[in-house]
Amino acid sequence: ETGVTQSPTHLIKTRGQQVTLRCSSQSGHNTVSWYQQALGQGPQFIFQYYREEENGRGNFPPRFSGLQFPNYSSELNVNALELDDSALYLCASSGGVVAEAFFGQGTRLTVV
Amino acid sequence: AQSVTQLDSQVPVFEEAPVELRCNYSSSVSVYLFWYVQYPNQGLQLLLKYLSGSTLVKGINGFEAEFNKSQTSFHLRKPSVHISDTAEYFCAVSLPNTDKLIFGTGTRLQVFP
């Protein structure tokens, strides 16, 4: 059983650029959720994908978008980066045991 | 809408002392309740969860939590903490069968020797 892996672990982008973050879900899981965790805050729900379809979205602007692939891995894309997008982005996969989401180690995004 | 309040941003405690981390939630419907732990530069690890049934839930690493519906609370406890318990602890809720978590702002547990 493989865990949830995210890539890259760290990256630095310039304001206005675009970024793609990746997540490989745990084996047997068909649901991926993305969270943004600003420094000193709790994670905030961005959106969720279930079997390649968006299945709920938090209070984030449309420049945050995502994809889920047939193997249930997922991407988070952020366009027109702003300084406030600097955060730890967490991916969680679920769909196995009821109400049990497994988190990756996160991608630390710094926007300068 | 659902919300979670963690009343203490930081909790300092000496090793081998008991600890309680407080969590209150707000929801007009039944929710699932969770505690997660986050070690520095890592993701979140599930400590325990309450779905239904017995209100006392036991988790990993000797932690337990009690669901109190009348007080809308889900406080986390450990009778004797270790240095290795130093971490950030997050309380969270979700609507049943959604896996969409709403987190509190976290409590930093600092264990001193």
Side-chain angles (χ1 to χ4, degrees):
Chain A
E1 176 178 281
T2 58
V4 179
T5 57
Q6 293 186 240
S7 62
T9 55
H10 297 82
L11 75 166
I12 300 174
K13 289 287 189 177
T14 303
R15 190 171 48 183
Q17 285 188 315
Q18 179 266 343
V19 69
T20 297
L21 310 182
R22 295 178 175 82
C23 171
S24 294
S25 59
Q26 185 152 316
S27 177
H29 287 183
N30 55 20
T31 303
V32 172
S33 304
W34 286 92
Y35 295 83
Q36 180 195 67
Q37 186 180 15
L39 199 61
Q41 300 296 316
Q44 298 289 316
F45 175 74
I46 303 175
F47 44 57
Q48 183 183 86
Y49 279 83
Y50 170 69
R51 295 189 175 184
E52 303 179 58
E53 297 288 330
E54 188 176 290
N55 183 40
R57 188 179 184 91
N59 189 25
F60 281 81
R63 58 190 185 84
F64 285 78
S65 63
L67 282 173
Q68 188 179 30
F69 300 99
N71 66 354
Y72 302 132
S73 66
S74 178
E75 286 183 354
L76 164 65
N77 299 290
V78 187
N79 294 322
L81 284 166
E82 300 177 359
L83 297 179
D84 285 348
D85 295 334
S86 295
L88 180 67
Y89 288 85
L90 294 164
C91 164
S93 79
S94 57
V97 174
V98 171
E100 195 150 319
F102 290 85
F103 283 80
Q105 83 284 4
T107 294
R108 174 73 62 186
L109 172 65
T110 302
V111 182
V112 298
Chain B
Q2 291 72 45
S3 66
V4 176
T5 302
Q6 291 185 244
L7 299 165
D8 306 298
S9 59
Q10 295 187 61
V11 173
V13 64
F14 287 108
E15 194 173 21
E16 298 183 5
V19 71
E20 177 179 85
L21 305 184
R22 297 181 293 169
C23 173
N24 287 87
Y25 69 94
S26 174
S27 177
S28 58
V29 298
S30 294
V31 292
Y32 292 165
L33 294 150
F34 306 83
W35 276 98
Y36 282 85
V37 61
Q38 186 176 37
Y39 298 102
N41 301 312
Q42 293 191 27
L44 301 172
Q45 180 182 11
L46 180 66
L47 281 176
L48 48 79
K49 62 184 178 184
Y50 172 78
L51 307 185
S52 65
S54 173
T55 57
L56 183 63
V57 179
K58 293 189 182 297
I60 62 171
N61 301 341
F63 285 94
E64 63 180 33
E66 184 154 21
F67 169 60
N68 188 319
K69 187 174 182 178
S70 63
Q71 297 187 4
T72 59
S73 68
F74 190 54
H75 301 332
L76 181 71
R77 302 187 184 101
K78 187 170 183 177
S80 176
V81 295
H82 302 290
I83 296 285
S84 59
D85 292 322
T86 295
E88 192 84 21
Y89 291 79
F90 292 97
C91 181
V93 301
S94 75
L95 292 175
N97 302 316
T98 66
D99 292 335
K100 300 168 192 172
L101 295 161
I102 298 167
F103 288 89
T105 52
T107 297
R108 170 80 176 157
L109 176 63
Q110 181 75 50
V111 181
F112 295 95

